Amino acid sequence: MVDGVTRDRTRVLLTFAFETLDDVRRREFCRPPDQLLLQVIADGRTESVTVADPWRSRIADVARGRWSRTERRVVIGGSPLTHVRPLRLRRTDPTDLASVRDQYQRYGRLLRRRCTPQDVLVTANPFVAAWAAPMLGIRCFYYARDDWAGHTFFRRWWPVLDAAQGEVGAGTAEIVAVSETLGHRLRPDGPVTVLPNGVAGHVWRKRLGWPTRLGPHPGVYALYSGSIGPRLDTELLARVVGHPALDAVLIAGPVESPALRTKLAALPRVRVLGDLDQATLAAVTFNAAVGVVPHVVNRQTTASSPLKVFEYLAAGLPVVTTDLQSVEDLGERVQPCGGPAEWVSALHRAIDAGAASEAERSETLAELDWTKRLRPLVDAVVQPVPRPLSEPR
């Protein structure tokens, strides 16, 4: 009830992890929180949706000649929403705990001006969930898609990310995690909802031919897709490259460092495609013989729910992957490997198995579609009357 009137629809405030709404639009809403935004917008039970960027630098805005307004109206998926850009002077977050806490408590106070007690916050940013959410005094969901305190890009912030995730685990937000491992890590003894990653059904519904703009078809190839960085085990990749049944290994996605790109390009029969739009990525995936996930085993990867695995399955591919908890129960088309020695035989079996039938692929796609995957969270967020999302494990 607001001002004595019962609200029939919910007002939602959403923040991504460390990306802006403009970043999300450029990458075609391909990551889990991006899809959550689209699902919330499409649901129809919200009164309004506001997306708040992470802190932006006023100085950087001036230097780049960018818009410095803190609020604008935009249309996404045919629906209007409010886009908020909190501004400060500094470009990056500090690395000491007291300063980070202060910055995000201030962030919370800025957002509080536009909130009422019945609003709902959904955030993928651990700093927002830990220290901004308590300033707002509204229901908060933390959508955990990574163990940020193990993510190599954020190494400078690992101690404060650990502290933030500890605060969230202690109860500043309801937790929705993409894997059991991540959920248990964040809140070992309390309620956590686990919603594995999924795929955008419309991207994968129709089987696509090889994209000729990329040149001739490379023959029988394995595919590794996604963000290409330190989680890729290049020694395991070399085993894939050397498999006699393969003509090539294609790597699709942004490569995080020039040194890694050079290292990959030096491997025989490897072709680095770089960042691809979603339609081209789907076409490349559909034409592969096998999807591979040769990851190192570390804090980041053991907590993950690899998007690429679900994209491979949506395309009907057999999958060979490093053994992670999140891929152990995905069916016979996914072959987890406990060590390098298992990869050669697993690749033989996968390539021999071939692509799934269209009927099997269609059934798999229906299970993996974000609309179904995110339904429990969307329902909990948009319900006018709050209800529990999860029960204690």
Side-chain angles (χ1 to χ4, degrees), residues 5 9 74 79 101 148 157 188 203 239 249 275 336 358 367:
V5 178
R9 297 194 295 168
V74 298
S79 298
R101 183 191 298 117
W148 298 107
W157 291 274
V203 174
R239 285 181 176 261
V249 175
D275 203 3
E358 280 302 292
E367 290 298 315

Side-chain angles (χ1 to χ4, degrees), residues 211-223:
T212 54
R213 72 176 183 85
L214 297 181
H217 193 291
V220 179
Y221 65 89
L223 174 67

Side-chain angles (χ1 to χ4, degrees), residues 40-320:
V40 168
I41 290 172
D43 183 87
R45 286 178 286 174
T46 56
E47 178 181 314
S48 65
V49 177
T50 297
V51 175
D53 283 348
W55 279 118
R56 300 288 89 195
S57 168
R58 192 180 298 274
I59 293 174
D61 271 8
V62 172
R64 296 170 185 168
R66 298 181 59 183
W67 66 287
S68 287
R69 287 180 293 139
T70 58
E71 182 178 319
R72 63 176 175 175
R73 294 287 283 173
V74 298
V75 176
I76 292 178
S79 298
L81 58 81
T82 302
H83 178 201
V84 178
R85 300 178 73 249
L87 295 174
R88 65 182 180 188
L89 293 180
R90 64 180 303 139
R91 292 171 183 258
T92 61
D93 287 322
T95 56
D96 66 285
L97 178 58
S99 297
V100 173
R101 183 191 298 117
D102 178 70
Q103 287 284 308
Y104 281 88
Q105 287 176 343
R106 181 178 161 222
Y107 182 92
R109 287 192 292 270
L110 284 173
L111 295 182
R112 186 170 62 195
R113 301 171 187 171
R114 63 182 59 254
C115 291
T116 67
Q118 286 190 336
D119 292 356
V120 176
L121 169 66
V122 186
T123 181
N125 184 311
F127 295 153
V128 173
W131 297 304
M135 299 293 102
L136 297 173
I138 61 177
R139 191 180 190 192
C140 174
F141 295 91
Y142 175 51
Y143 188 20
R145 67 177 180 89
D146 256 309
D147 185 345
W148 298 107
H151 197 298
T152 52
F153 183 82
F154 297 96
R155 186 182 299 272
R156 290 171 56 203
W157 291 274
W158 279 358
V160 289
L161 285 164
D162 247 336
Q165 291 181 166
E167 291 286 336
V168 177
T172 62
E174 298 175 55
I175 296 176
V176 179
V178 297
S179 73
E180 289 279 359
T181 299
L182 181 54
H184 182 78
R185 200 173 286 172
L186 292 171
R187 186 171 286 160
D189 301 312
V192 172
T193 298
V194 177
L195 300 178
N197 284 329
V199 299
H202 70 280
V203 174
W204 302 94
R205 192 156 291 120
K206 180 181 178 183
R207 184 175 289 278
L208 302 172
W210 172 256
T212 54
R213 72 176 183 85
L214 297 181
H217 193 291
V220 179
Y221 65 89
L223 174 67
Y224 176 74
S225 62
S227 298
I228 317 301
R231 63 184 176 170
L232 174 61
D233 187 327
T234 52
E235 292 184 8
L236 274 182
L237 182 66
R239 285 181 176 261
V240 178
V241 170
H243 197 280
L246 295 172
D247 298 316
V249 175
L250 271 54
I251 297 179
V255 182
E256 293 182 9
S257 74
L260 180 56
R261 176 179 283 273
T262 300
K263 187 173 185 178
L264 294 173
L267 292 172
R269 299 194 294 172
V270 167
R271 184 177 173 192
V272 181
L273 301 177
D275 203 3
L276 303 175
D277 62 77
Q278 290 293 289
T280 305
L281 173 63
V284 170
T285 306
F286 274 117
N287 287 273
V290 58
V292 295
V293 189
H295 280 177
V296 298
V297 177
N298 60 24
R299 179 170 175 171
Q300 180 190 5
T301 60
T302 54
S304 69
S305 172
L307 270 172
K308 56 182 63 59
V309 169
F310 303 112
E311 291 174 344
Y312 299 158
L313 292 173
L317 301 188
V319 181
V320 180

